[in-house]
Amino acid sequence: MLLLFAFSSFGQFHGHCLDAQTGKPVKDAQIVSEGKRLAKSNTSGHFSFDDSSVRTVIVKHPDYKTMQENLIPGEQNIFLLTPDSRQIDEVTVSAPLLNTLSKKVPGGFSLISSDSLQPNLSAIDVIEQSPGVVMQKGALNTGRVMIRGIGSRSPYATTRIRAYLDEIPLTSGDGHTTVEDLEMYNTVRTEIVRGPASALYGSGLGGIIVFHPDHSQASPLALDALTQYGPFDQKKILLNGGSRQKRTIIKSNAAYTQTTGFRENNDYLRWNGQFMLRHHFGNHALFFLANYIHLNAQIPSSIDEETFHNSPQKAAENWQEIKGFEKYDNYPGAPRNAWVRLIIKFRDK
């Protein structure tokens, strides 16, 4: 009887189909082998079937990329499906703090999807695509966000507008928000809520901006690189890697950006680093995110109209005299630029 039970268990397969980006169950995902449908996931993402001859299956769903997965008999198989950006459907957003269908967001809302995010775009260029949002840009390290006019009374920084990197605050304790230092290469979407509907996140009269990193990983192993060159000795080098092994997705990237700028006292150097890990076990998911920024950038500041017309490349005299700049990283004394997030999420069976 024990031998018969062992052979029976070896041919039983069960598991869950989950959205790799949100960790939510995926309904109606088809488990296929050699053109034959073996099972279909239910509302909780669960599937099961008996077939001792099957070891590899194809997972299909109209809203997700088709994947080939290996099965482990007698254990819970977790398939992390990557959303297919070509599918057009109603979007579930998280900017109102709770996951909500975009049509039900109680306020002015904008979603900037991955289709509009290009490697050469900065965070300033991205959020400026949203209606009602204006960016006042000086150097690469000086920008001011305004939503429906809110923020215009702050002369040198963004205030009354809150920003988050996947629920990690980018807004300091005194209400100043800095977004221009983010690396946007691994950002899958940006959500913006304008006006008082953002009050769920706290005091942000103008609104909130939420940047979402890409947690999905379609292939078992991926590595890509980006190199850009431009005028004024501008260069950017980026390395991005990802790995998916059954229940675990690991992604990391590092970027180097440098330019001498058009004006005097306008040198700019920035390092970005990011590491993400998502592991699913049982009915739980562990998510870890670490982000690092090192910035060393000079500030040419503003000039009068006569200098603008005759010598626009000059820096403001007082800033040129003192070699004005800003510099920070995650060393002790500047902890606000290193972010780590550790979350355990629960999902229904």
Side-chain angles (χ1 to χ4, degrees), residues 22 77 87 221 231 274:
T22 64
N77 296 270
Q87 297 295 327
L221 182 64
Q274 191 176 87

Side-chain angles (χ1 to χ4, degrees), residues 146-182:
M146 292 185 295
I147 298 180
R148 292 178 174 175
I150 302 296
S152 60
R153 293 190 177 184
S154 176
Y156 303 113
T158 298
T159 59
R160 302 180 182 87
I161 296 171
R162 305 185 71 84
Y164 294 83
L165 175 64
D166 205 24
E167 299 180 21
I168 296 176
L170 302 180
T171 303
S172 63
D174 57 358
H176 288 76
T177 298
T178 302
V179 298
E180 55 266 26
D181 300 336
L182 289 178

Side-chain angles (χ1 to χ4, degrees), residues 63 83 291 334 342:
D63 296 334
N291 198 77
L342 181 62

Side-chain angles (χ1 to χ4, degrees), residues 203-246:
S203 177
L205 183 61
I208 61 167
I209 304 169
V210 183
F211 300 95
H212 289 276
D214 187 3
H215 305 303
S216 62
Q217 176 67 31
S219 59
L221 182 64
L223 178 65
D224 52 280
L226 171 71
T227 302
Q228 293 179 338
Y229 292 93
F232 312 111
D233 296 326
Q234 180 180 351
K235 60 178 69 74
K236 179 176 182 178
I237 302 173
L238 184 143
L239 294 175
N240 185 70
S243 173
R244 175 175 57 85
Q245 299 294 331
K246 292 297 181 182

Side-chain angles (χ1 to χ4, degrees), residues 262-279:
F262 168 70
R263 300 176 61 190
E264 298 172 349
N265 200 59
N266 201 186
D267 290 353
Y268 180 89
L269 185 148
R270 189 184 79 215
W271 284 93
N272 292 81
Q274 191 176 87
F275 176 83
M276 292 186 296
L277 181 147
R278 182 191 290 271
H279 177 72

